[in-house]
Amino acid sequence: MFERYLAALQYPRIGQLNIDDPKDFRGFVAWLEDQKIRFYPIEERAPLRKTSALDEWNAAFEKYKKDIKLPEKEEEAKKSNAPEVHSTNPFDSYDFTNPEFEEGSWKLAERLGIAHHPDHLVALRAASRVISTAYDKEALKEPVVTGQPFPIDEGKGMGFDKDEDLERCAKILRLLQIQSVRKLQTSINETIVAAQNITADPRTDTSLGKVGLK
C-alpha cells in the first residue's frame, strides 16, 4: 500500500525507500517539500535538505510540521476531521442501571397494573406496550371496553395440566393470538368496505363517451 502511495506521488526510488531508516526518511521529507508540497519558497527549504546535519535537520523538521499544521498523532487527525454528532434523544443520556431508574420503572408498571418482574427493563417494556396501546390518541377515541375480566383459568385446557404455570402461559398466548387475528380481520373488512365504496360510485365524464355507430 505504501508503495502505491509512492507511485501516485511519482517518487523515483520506489522499492528502495526504507522509511524506518533516518537518513532515508529525511531525504524523503526533503523530496516531498521540493517536489509536491512546496510550502516554503525555494530559499527557505535549505534546512530540510541538510539531511546529514542531524540536529539542524530535526529542528527544521519540527518547525516544518508546525508550519504545515501536521497533526501530532493520526488519531487526532481523524478526530479533527470527523464531524461531531450530537444526539437529540434525551434517553441517550440516561443510566438505565441507576437504582432510582429501576425503582421508577417498577413503580410505573405497578401503577399500570402490570405484574412485578425482577428485571426492571422487562417491566418498563411492558409499561411501554400498555401505554402505546391504551393511551395513544387513536385508542382514546375508541369507546372504553367494560365488562367482566375474561376467566382465563376456565375453559378448554391447553394440554399442560401437569404444569400450572405453563398451562396459564399457553392460555394467555392463545388469547393474544385470537386478539391479533380479530384485529387483522377488522382491517381486512375495512379494506373491503373501502374498495366497495370506490367501485360502487364510479366518477366518469359522460361527455367523453359516444353511443352508436358513425
Side-chain angles (χ1 to χ4, degrees), residues 1-161:
M1 181 63 71
F2 184 62
E3 290 188 355
R4 290 182 183 178
Y5 293 150
L6 294 178
L9 291 170
Q10 297 180 328
Y11 185 66
R13 297 182 59 237
I14 297 176
Q16 301 175 19
L17 174 64
N18 181 5
I19 203 69
D20 295 323
D21 181 273
K23 188 175 181 179
D24 271 9
F25 175 74
R26 293 195 292 270
F28 179 60
V29 171
W31 180 86
L32 279 176
E33 171 57 19
D34 269 334
Q35 301 296 325
K36 301 299 177 181
I37 300 176
R38 298 177 179 177
F39 183 82
Y40 291 151
I42 294 177
E43 61 274 12
E44 294 182 17
R45 300 174 193 168
L48 288 175
R49 295 172 182 163
K50 296 180 180 180
T51 57
S52 298
L54 183 58
D55 292 339
E56 187 176 350
W57 190 90
N58 285 339
F61 182 54
E62 291 300 322
K63 180 179 182 303
Y64 182 61
K65 289 192 295 183
K66 293 178 181 178
D67 289 343
I68 64 174
K69 298 180 180 179
L70 181 71
E72 294 182 2
K73 295 181 180 179
E74 186 180 354
E75 291 301 321
E76 291 180 4
K78 291 180 181 178
K79 182 178 180 181
S80 63
N81 292 332
E84 293 185 8
V85 179
H86 300 282
S87 174
T88 58
N89 186 352
F91 289 101
D92 288 343
S93 60
Y94 277 31
D95 180 7
F96 296 101
T97 61
N98 185 286
E100 293 182 0
F101 184 87
E102 294 183 8
E103 185 66 23
S105 301
W106 283 318
K107 286 184 178 180
L108 176 62
E110 183 181 359
R111 283 180 177 272
L112 294 173
I114 299 171
H116 176 78
H117 192 281
D119 188 337
H120 69 286
L121 294 179
V122 174
L124 188 62
R125 282 196 293 269
S128 173
R129 183 179 180 86
V130 170
I131 292 172
S132 63
T133 55
Y135 295 95
D136 65 352
K137 293 181 180 180
E138 294 301 323
L140 291 174
K141 294 179 184 178
E142 298 178 359
V144 179
V145 179
T146 59
Q148 296 296 324
F150 185 84
I152 192 172
D153 293 326
E154 300 178 6
K156 184 178 178 181
M158 300 296 296
F160 301 102
D161 299 336

